Amino acid sequence: MSFTYFDHNATSPLDAGVLEAMLPFLRDQYGNASSRHDLGITARRAIDQARERVAALVNVRPSQVVFTSGGTESNNLFIKGAAEILKPSQIVISAIEHPCVAKPAAALARKGWAVRRLAVTGAGKVDLHDVDVALQTPTGIVSVMLANNETGVIQPVAEIAEHARAAKAWMHTDAVQALGKIEVDFEALNVHAMTLSAHKIYGPKGAGALIVDKRIELAPLIAGGGHEHGMRSGTENVPAIVGFGAAAELAASRLSELALRMEKLRARVEQGLTQMGAVLFGAQATRVPNTSYFAFRGIDGETLIIELDKLGFGVAAGAACSSANPEPSATLLAMGIEPEIARGAVRFSLGSSNTAQQVDEYLKAVKLVVSRLKNLTAMAV
Ligand code: PLP
């Protein structure tokens, strides 16, 4: 049986061209980029080129790119690295941050920081008025994601950054779920730091970056040989970094074409889902074009995804990273969605190889599964 993947917010397949770019560095070009001989110089040049490509995608200078092992490390590096430098005050995050922002932020409470979570509207968006209220208390750090991993809702990061800067706070955004889906311009967002990850943009897992405004100083998480301008020691993962660079170049080359295609496919799937009676989450707000988040009243999301998997479709219940957690999605609860409905949440996220035919087949499968599950529930009553 064929398998159709609609879970690109969890991870994306490695693009064939990206793999091609990586292969030499997994085979013959095994040099350590710190070595002065030919193999080392080749590795260093490859890293430099990747750095230029990632920088170009987000409109920064290459020297602002710190390569890390991924989004999780970049978020930890910013929050812990900033907290090490700044005097303890308040850290402000949104209530819908990924755990790799929410947890390091919460941990700052043990170091004398006050941790404040901004509520979101029913459409899943941070309200600027709440930002202003929060910033009346002296604040050192603000971190609000650019696009939410579950709903896809785009947050008003540039506006929040303006308020944060006026309050003399350092502003960070986790742009992992926005990259490759909408334009992500570090300068225009006006932030001090920004997190990226390669495996959500058809690059390899285990590679990411923290983009940093050189006017702020962060303490490194990992000390050692002084790699990445002392911000992240450890021999560079050259194949993964090269793959990240190739994925960044690919993302830049097809951004608007891909966004348009995703938008059309999402409209198609959401039309079908609403006709079947699904409730859509975050659809009133501006979203990244590939993501749709929905539920059917009375149908458990976990059961729905298991049944869809049996029919050959890969979708997610809530956030993939917390699928071991049976609690309803914290993002949906923060949006004021009733727990009964939130338990039914299914996240559908499109990628570059999905087609209209796949979407139609998926809708047929959802219809079949939903009517089966509704019959079972009716029989049980
Ligand atoms: N931030 C967001 C919004 C994410 O969705 C994810 C991954 O799901 C991460 C950070 C973590 O990135 P990585 O998997 O590269 O550690």
Side-chain angles (χ1 to χ4, degrees):
M1 188 179 63
S2 70
F3 185 79
T4 307
Y5 188 72
F6 289 124
D7 195 14
H8 294 80
N9 286 11
T11 194
S12 56
L14 191 69
D15 175 81
V18 171
L19 174 63
E20 278 302 307
M22 291 171 68
L23 279 176
F25 298 91
L26 289 160
R27 288 192 181 124
D28 316 318
Q29 297 296 339
Y30 51 80
N32 182 324
S34 299
S35 300
R36 302 283 182 200
H37 49 64
D38 190 50
L39 272 183
I41 292 165
T42 304
R44 172 61 54 207
R45 286 203 181 123
I47 292 176
D48 288 346
Q49 188 188 47
R51 199 183 302 282
E52 280 163 22
R53 289 174 170 173
V54 171
L57 179 60
V58 294
N59 189 29
V60 295
R61 287 186 299 281
S63 59
Q64 291 177 257
V65 178
V66 179
F67 284 123
T68 65
S69 68
T72 300
E73 184 186 330
S74 300
N75 284 336
N76 274 267
L77 171 58
F78 176 75
I79 290 173
K80 294 176 183 167
E84 192 80 4
I85 301 289
L86 298 169
K87 270 209 321 262
S89 60
Q90 177 174 249
I91 174 167
V92 176
I93 63 168
S94 81
I96 58 167
E97 294 302 312
H98 191 274
C100 62
V101 166
K103 289 188 181 172
L108 292 189
R110 289 198 297 272
K111 301 202 161 176
W113 287 72
V115 184
R116 186 160 185 152
R117 286 173 197 80
L118 299 167
V120 291
T121 63
K125 198 169 162 186
V126 169
D127 189 331
L128 285 177
H129 174 70
D130 294 340
V131 175
D132 277 339
V133 172
L135 290 174
Q136 280 164 14
T137 304
T139 302
I141 304 171
V142 179
S143 180
V144 175
M145 68 200 330
L146 186 51
N148 181 261
N149 41 306
E150 293 176 49
T151 59
V153 171
I154 299 170
Q155 303 301 323
V157 170
E159 290 89 338
I160 298 171
E162 200 180 316
H163 297 229
R165 280 182 186 266
K168 303 264 181 287
W170 288 357
M171 175 75 199
H172 165 258
T173 190
D174 173 352
V176 165
Q177 291 290 350
L179 197 69
K181 297 172 188 160
I182 56 169
E183 197 187 329
V184 175
D185 181 323
F186 185 86
E187 290 302 317
L189 288 169
N190 196 22
V191 291
H192 291 97
M194 178 166 81
T195 289
L196 310 176
S197 176
H199 75 97
K200 313 277 187 186
I201 61 162
Y202 308 88
K205 291 159 186 68
L210 184 70
I211 308 296
V212 190
D213 179 334
K214 302 292 267 188
R215 283 163 294 192
I216 66 163
E217 186 198 348
L218 298 174
L221 281 182
I222 303 172
H227 306 76
E228 298 295 301
H229 306 293
M231 288 304 300
R232 206 283 186 175
S233 287
T235 302
E236 297 92 338
N237 183 350
V238 183
I241 290 172
V242 166
F244 188 10
E249 195 179 42
L250 174 69
S253 71
R254 66 176 180 183
L255 186 65
S256 38
E257 177 268 323
L258 189 60
L260 216 65
R261 206 144 49 79
M262 299 296 95
E263 186 103 52
K264 276 197 190 139
L265 288 180
R266 182 182 54 192
R268 194 179 183 104
V269 82
E270 291 196 336
Q271 192 189 6
L273 290 170
T274 33
Q275 274 168 6
M276 286 180 235
V279 186
L280 298 179
F281 304 122
Q284 314 91 311
T286 311
R287 294 174 292 168
V288 287
N290 79 318
T291 309
S292 184
Y293 203 25
F294 66 91
F296 287 95
R297 272 174 202 278
I299 293 184
D300 175 56
E302 200 71 32
T303 311
L304 190 50
I305 66 154
I306 291 168
E307 292 305 313
L308 286 169
D309 181 44
K310 287 185 197 159
L311 295 176
F313 297 93
V315 290
C321 311
S322 61
S323 57
N325 179 357
E327 287 303 303
S329 143
T331 296
L332 290 178
L333 297 184
M335 289 162 66
I337 308 290
E338 293 163 45
E340 273 322 293
I341 299 177
R343 274 200 193 90
V346 172
R347 182 184 67 184
F348 170 93
S349 48
L350 290 152
S352 63
S353 65
N354 290 137
T355 63
Q357 192 190 336
Q358 290 175 337
V359 164
D360 292 346
E361 284 163 5
Y362 169 75
L363 285 170
K364 269 192 221 148
V366 173
K367 194 166 189 172
L368 182 75
V369 173
V370 167
S371 68
R372 249 196 239 150
L373 293 173
K374 276 197 174 146
N375 284 340
L376 281 179
T377 323
M379 281 184 342
V381 176

